Amino acid sequence: SAEEYRDVIAEVLTELEKTSGLIEQLMFLARADSGAEPLHFSPTNVTEVLREACHQGSALAEAKQIGFHEQIAGDSMWIQGDASSLRRLFLILIDNAVKYTPANGQVEVSLHRDDGFAVAEVRDTGIGIAESDLPNVFERFYRADKARTRESGGVGLGLSIGRWITEVHSGTIEVHSAPGHGSIFQIRLPIT
């Protein structure tokens, strides 16, 4: 029937989008490994970049009926960076927070200045990460929650891409989490 045909086409489209996303992530990592990923470092206002990512993130949260809150300092925080890759970094963390937080949960994004660093945090009230998984979450293809990954579309590359982007910007990224209590991802980037 026409309805069955539309359902099959919708399923194929969903799988194609997942495959396309995977290929794009693998290509990004391959270019990064070979030094061919073009980054254009210039004075970049982290406040503005994070606000742009939050705009997209709030739409993701709204679609899943998750509360989304921003606590971003009003002043500009300038770093030497690539705005596009930083936006990608923030969206990876926000997307993960939304993905692993059930409906009616909360995602909070904040930015503040601390001792010469711009400190961005993405907090959620999601499923959390087991202590035994924490040392591995930034490794390629590592998936802490294997049961939910297929359903949510993750393949374990987003956080490794996020770590690479952070390190290329001379920053650090860390995670604090516990099952059932959500996660906090913190990024520290040196202010110029």
Side-chain angles (χ1 to χ4, degrees), residues 169-187:
H169 284 83
S170 302
T172 60
I173 184 170
E174 57 185 45
V175 58
H176 304 280
S177 188
H181 296 285
S183 301
I184 303 167
F185 283 85
Q186 184 184 81
I187 301 158

Side-chain angles (χ1 to χ4, degrees), residues 133-156:
D133 289 320
L134 287 174
N136 303 308
V137 294
F138 296 106
E139 299 303 319
R140 291 179 188 180
F141 299 108
Y142 189 81
R143 297 176 301 194
D145 187 1
K146 288 140 184 84
R148 289 178 49 106
T149 301
R150 180 70 180 152
E151 163 193 323
S152 59
V155 294

Side-chain angles (χ1 to χ4, degrees), residues 50 54 61 66-71 90 93-98 100-101 105-112 119-128 174-177 181-187:
L50 185 54
C54 283
I66 293 172
F68 189 89
H69 308 283
E70 295 175 39
Q71 291 186 335
F90 296 139
L93 297 180
I94 292 168
D95 181 58
N96 278 356
V98 169
Y100 294 107
T101 299
Q106 301 290 319
V107 172
E108 181 180 306
V109 180
S110 64
L111 178 68
H112 65 276
V119 181
E121 287 187 351
V122 178
R123 298 173 175 260
D124 65 61
T125 59
I127 63 174
E174 57 185 45
V175 58
H176 304 280
S177 188
H181 296 285
S183 301
I184 303 167
F185 283 85
Q186 184 184 81
I187 301 158

Side-chain angles (χ1 to χ4, degrees), residues 47-122:
T47 305
E48 181 181 310
V49 173
L50 185 54
R51 279 198 181 113
E52 290 169 7
C54 283
H55 181 72
Q56 289 180 267
S58 66
L60 294 172
E62 184 179 328
K64 198 175 167 192
Q65 298 178 337
I66 293 172
F68 189 89
H69 308 283
E70 295 175 39
Q71 291 186 335
I72 300 175
D75 60 331
S76 297
M77 291 186 215
W78 293 90
I79 68 164
Q80 195 64 18
D82 178 81
S84 177
S85 63
L86 288 170
R87 189 174 307 103
R88 178 186 204 127
L89 163 65
F90 296 139
L91 281 171
I92 287 168
L93 297 180
I94 292 168
D95 181 58
N96 278 356
V98 169
K99 204 179 282 183
Y100 294 107
T101 299
N104 301 317
Q106 301 290 319
V107 172
E108 181 180 306
V109 180
S110 64
L111 178 68
H112 65 276
R113 189 183 304 261
D114 180 42
D115 197 28
F117 288 87
V119 181
E121 287 187 351
V122 178

Side-chain angles (χ1 to χ4, degrees), residues 7 10-11 20 25 34 40 48 79 118 138 142 159 176 183 190:
D7 290 345
E11 287 178 30
S20 177
Q25 288 179 324
S34 69
H40 305 287
E48 181 181 310
I79 68 164
F138 296 106
Y142 189 81
L159 291 178
H176 304 280
S183 301

